[in-house]
Amino acid sequence: MSSSEKKESLKGRFHIAVVNHQGEQSFDTKITVYDGWDEFLKAGQGEVGLELPRGLYTVRAERAGMHWEKVIRHEADTRETIQEPLRVSATPVFDTATTHEYYANPSIKWSLTDTRPPIGDPNESMGRLFLFLRTPSQEQYRDENLGANLRLLNSQGELLSDFATGDSIKDDQGFLAFSARAERGLYILRHEGEEPREVPLYVYPELNTQVFLVYNRGLRFETAKIFLPSINFAFSPQDRFTQVADAALTTLQQGGDFFPEDAMNKLLIGKFEDPMLGFLGAHLLLRQKSLDESYLWMVIQNLKELVSSSPDFQALEIMACERLGRALPLRPFDQPPMLRPGLEAVLRLSNEYPELVPEKGLVECIATRLYVDSPWTSWNLTGICEQLYGEKGILDEVWLASDWLATYLKDAIQDKIKWKGEIDLKELARQVGVPTNLVVNMYEALGGSSLVDRLQEWGDDFKKISGIGPAFESALKNMGIRTYEDLAQLGEDKIEEVSSALGRFANRLLEGDWVNQAKNLLSDAFQETGDE
C-alpha cells in the first residue's frame, strides 16, 4: 500500500452539529473547521461534515457577533453536537445567556401597562415609551436605586420624569419599569452620574418604543437595546423577530461579518410590524461587500412608507444613495438618528454637503462628544453647547480643555508647520468625520492665526518622547531646542550642556535615549509624508 493510499485509509467522517437552547438545530450559527496549521477547511450553517485524516482540528462557532472555539482530536469517526454561542443581552429573550423568568415575566406585563399618566395630551395616535432596567441577575441586586441620576427630558430639555422618585415600578428582584403613552417626537434619556451622557429616543404614532438596559454597579449604556413594535404588541421573550433584532444589534456592536440569510429575511419581513427591524436589516445590508442593489432599494422604499420622517430613515436613505451612486436627499438633520452608524455617515458627508448639519444645532453640538461603546447614538454631557439646554457655550473653557478635537487640531497644525504644508481646515474635518464648521470654530477658539504663530515658535511636541513631560519639554525649549530635528542633531558638547542644565536629572537625556527617539519620530513623519 502506497503512502497516499495509507493516508486515505486513515480518514474518517468529521461531523459537527449545533443546537439551540431548545435542542433544535441552530442554523443561525456558522461553523468553520481549521486544520492544525490554522488553514481553512470548510464552513457551514448549523452543521458541517467532511472526510478528514487523523489529527487535531479547530472548530469555530459564530453567532450574532459571539464566537466559540474548540480543539477536537479526530481519530476515526468524530460526531459531536455543540451548543450555539449564547450572547449576553439586556433584552430578556430566551435565546441569550442572561435571561431569567423573574425579569421576562414583568417585562411582558409592563410593556403595555401604564406606570404614569400619558406624556402630553391624550389622543388615539399616541405612541408608548417603555423602559426596563434590570440587574444581571436577582442575586446581584444590592438594594440599589436603579433609576438614580436618570431623567427623561423633552426635546427642549424640560424634565418629564425622575425615575429615582416616581413614575416607575421598582421591584426587590432588581428591576425598574417605566411605561407611558406619549406624544410623538424626540425624548432625551439623561444620566447624570459619574459618566454623564444622553441618549435620544423617538416615539412614533401607534408604535411602542421599548428600551432595555442593564444595571451593574451603575447603568451600562453599552448594553442598551431598543425596539419599535406596534403599540398593541406586548414584549415577548419567545418572539423570534425580537430575538433576531437583538442578535442583529449584537452583530452591529461586535463588528461581526456573518448574519444568516434566514435571520436577515426575518428582519426585513418584520419591518412592517417593527421598523427597527428594517433599520437593522438595511444597516447590515450596507455592510455587505457584494450588495443586491435592487433589494436594498426596495427595503429603503418600504421603510419610507412606514417612517419617512424618522432621522434614522433619513440617514439610511442618504447612506443607500451614496452606496448606489444616486443623488443624495439633502434634508438638514435637526435631530440625530438613534443608530450611531447613521449619524456618523451624516457627519462624514456634511463635509461635502454642509447643509446636512445645521450650524450650532444639536447634531453639530454632539459631533465630538459621541460614545462609541454601543450601536446607539449617545453623547457626553461635559461642556455640551448652549443650543441644547442653555447651560454652556460650545467653545467654553471646559470644552476646550477636554475636547479631543482641540488636541487633534493643534497636533495637525503642528505637523503642517513642520513640513511647511497648507492648513486646510475642510480637509482636517474630512479626515476625522466632523462638520467643517465645527473645525473652523474650534480653530478660531484656539486662537486662529495666533495659534499657528505660537505653535511655530514653541516647536514640536516633545511629550511624544518617552521620558519627557511638560517640565523637561519647557527646559529643553528654553535652551533653544524646539524641534525633533534640533534634538536629533545634538552634538556631544550640547548634550553635556543639556545634561548639566537638567541638574539631578542629568542622566535622563542619555538613559532615556531622547536623541534616538527624536530621530525615529523624524523618520516616521518623513515616511508618512512620503506615503501621502
Side-chain angles (χ1 to χ4, degrees):
M1 181 182 294
S2 68
S3 60
S4 60
E5 290 175 331
K6 185 176 181 180
K7 183 176 181 181
E8 189 68 24
S9 69
L10 293 175
K11 280 188 175 182
R13 188 67 177 166
F14 186 88
H15 183 270
I16 305 295
V18 189
V19 296
N20 60 23
H21 65 288
Q22 296 176 322
E24 301 168 343
Q25 191 164 2
S26 172
F27 292 102
D28 289 347
T29 303
K30 178 181 179 181
I31 297 295
T32 309
V33 180
Y34 300 89
D35 66 17
W37 291 271
D38 206 30
E39 294 289 334
F40 169 81
L41 295 176
K42 191 174 181 180
Q45 283 184 230
E47 64 178 343
V48 65
L50 65 169
E51 297 292 323
L52 291 175
R54 295 175 180 176
L56 294 176
Y57 296 91
T58 299
V59 174
R60 179 185 176 116
E62 178 183 354
R63 172 178 175 266
M66 305 301 292
H67 301 89
W68 175 94
E69 281 191 355
K70 182 179 181 180
V71 176
I72 295 177
R73 180 178 293 278
H74 174 55
E75 293 292 348
D77 189 32
T78 300
R79 297 180 183 274
E80 284 203 22
T81 300
I82 61 176
Q83 290 289 324
E84 65 182 3
L86 293 178
R87 66 189 181 279
V88 174
S89 177
T91 315
V93 284
F94 287 142
D95 68 332
T96 69
T98 50
T99 294
H100 311 280
E101 288 189 358
Y102 49 78
Y103 292 145
N105 292 333
S107 68
I108 297 171
K109 174 183 177 181
W110 294 110
S111 64
L112 291 184
T113 306
D114 294 339
T115 63
R116 58 150 287 163
I119 302 172
D121 297 327
N123 61 77
E124 292 183 357
S125 65
M126 291 184 99
R128 177 178 291 278
L129 181 58
F130 169 57
L131 180 70
F132 192 82
L133 316 180
R134 50 97 165 189
T135 52
S137 67
Q138 186 179 33
E139 292 74 25
Q140 291 174 268
Y141 178 56
R142 298 292 180 267
D143 199 30
E144 301 111 321
N145 186 341
L146 306 191
N149 301 313
L150 193 63
R151 314 281 185 266
L152 182 68
L153 313 176
N154 63 18
S155 59
Q156 287 75 45
E158 299 167 339
L159 180 66
L160 298 176
S161 281
D162 182 338
F163 298 96
T165 57
D167 289 349
S168 58
I169 300 298
K170 305 175 183 64
D171 187 88
D172 58 9
Q173 290 182 326
F175 76 80
L176 178 151
F178 170 95
S179 187
R181 298 292 296 267
E183 290 184 321
R184 69 176 300 165
L186 169 65
Y187 296 84
I188 301 291
L189 189 64
R190 171 188 276 194
H191 186 250
E192 298 175 347
E194 293 182 6
E195 187 184 78
R197 75 160 77 190
E198 292 183 334
V199 179
L201 302 173
Y202 291 93
V203 172
Y204 299 101
E206 301 180 6
L207 293 180
N208 187 345
T209 302
Q210 299 179 345
V211 184
F212 297 89
L213 272 168
V214 168
Y215 184 102
N216 188 6
R217 299 179 181 178
L219 280 177
R220 302 300 174 190
F221 283 90
E222 67 274 15
T223 69
K225 299 292 176 69
I226 303 174
F227 309 101
L228 296 170
S230 165
I231 194 168
N232 299 315
F233 179 85
F235 172 77
S236 172
Q238 299 184 35
D239 181 69
R240 176 61 176 159
F241 289 98
T242 303
Q243 292 175 358
V244 167
D246 188 80
L249 282 166
T250 303
T251 301
L252 282 174
Q253 184 168 7
Q254 300 292 339
D257 58 2
F258 167 72
F259 201 74
E261 184 178 353
D262 176 66
M264 177 67 81
N265 290 337
K266 281 187 165 53
L267 283 180
L268 299 177
I269 292 171
K271 65 180 178 290
F272 296 103
E273 298 298 329
D274 181 345
M276 184 58 73
L277 275 68
F279 292 153
L280 296 174
H283 274 285
L284 289 171
L285 284 175
L286 283 166
R287 291 173 54 167
Q288 295 179 356
K289 293 180 180 179
S290 179
L291 178 64
D292 184 335
E293 296 186 2
S294 60
Y295 188 38
L296 172 64
W297 195 247
M298 180 189 69
V299 173
I300 296 297
Q301 293 306 303
N302 286 338
L303 283 171
K304 189 173 186 176
E305 296 180 11
L306 297 170
V307 281
S308 61
S309 63
S310 162
D312 282 279
F313 168 74
Q314 293 175 21
L316 266 176
E317 187 178 29
I318 66 170
M319 291 171 72
C321 287
E322 181 189 31
R323 178 76 183 268
L324 301 177
R326 299 173 182 240
L328 270 60
L330 300 177
R331 291 172 289 180
F333 279 77
D334 298 311
Q335 298 171 340
M338 285 194 290
L339 283 161
R340 180 170 53 84
L343 176 59
E344 289 176 343
V346 171
L347 293 174
R348 174 176 53 81
L349 288 167
S350 71
N351 292 284
E352 186 174 354
Y353 306 100
E355 58 268 43
L356 285 174
V357 178
E359 186 175 350
K360 296 183 180 179
L362 172 57
V363 173
E364 184 186 83
C365 290
I366 65 176
T368 62
R369 281 287 178 254
L370 297 177
Y371 286 100
V372 294
D373 55 4
S374 87
W376 306 108
T377 295
S378 65
W379 56 85
N380 192 318
L381 277 171
T382 306
I384 205 68
C385 70
E386 61 185 354
Q387 281 70 32
L388 288 183
Y389 311 117
E391 295 172 351
K392 289 186 179 293
I394 188 171
L395 300 174
D396 65 11
E397 292 182 4
V398 174
W399 184 280
L400 291 176
S402 62
D403 198 286
W404 63 264
L405 183 59
T407 301
Y408 163 77
L409 198 54
K410 286 187 285 188
D411 286 346
I413 290 173
Q414 206 159 31
D415 286 342
K416 294 296 182 183
I417 291 171
K418 171 181 288 298
W419 300 106
K420 297 179 173 55
E422 180 183 352
I423 298 172
D424 185 341
L425 297 180
K426 182 175 181 179
E427 174 60 20
L428 293 178
R430 186 195 64 78
Q431 290 175 6
V432 290
V434 299
T436 302
N437 184 65
L438 196 59
V439 173
V440 172
N441 286 345
M442 182 65 77
Y443 175 75
E444 294 299 331
L446 292 169
S449 58
S450 63
L451 168 67
V452 177
D453 293 339
R454 290 198 309 273
L455 292 175
Q456 198 158 16
E457 180 180 348
W458 185 244
D460 290 327
D461 183 6
F462 285 169
K463 294 187 294 297
K464 291 183 178 180
I465 294 175
S466 177
I468 298 182
F472 287 153
E473 180 179 45
S474 295
L476 290 169
K477 290 184 175 178
N478 287 333
M479 297 176 65
I481 303 167
R482 296 182 175 176
T483 67
Y484 297 141
E485 191 171 2
D486 292 339
L487 189 52
Q489 294 179 356
L490 287 184
E492 291 185 8
D493 292 344
K494 194 65 175 178
I495 288 177
E496 289 182 11
E497 181 186 339
V498 173
S499 297
S500 177
L502 292 177
R504 64 192 180 94
F505 300 107
N507 61 335
R508 295 291 182 89
L509 174 62
L510 295 176
E511 290 184 0
D513 202 18
W514 294 354
V515 172
N516 279 328
Q517 286 193 66
K519 289 179 180 178
N520 291 335
L521 285 169
L522 274 174
S523 176
D524 292 344
F526 180 78
Q527 175 128 24
E528 288 176 10
T529 304
D531 291 341
E532 292 175 2

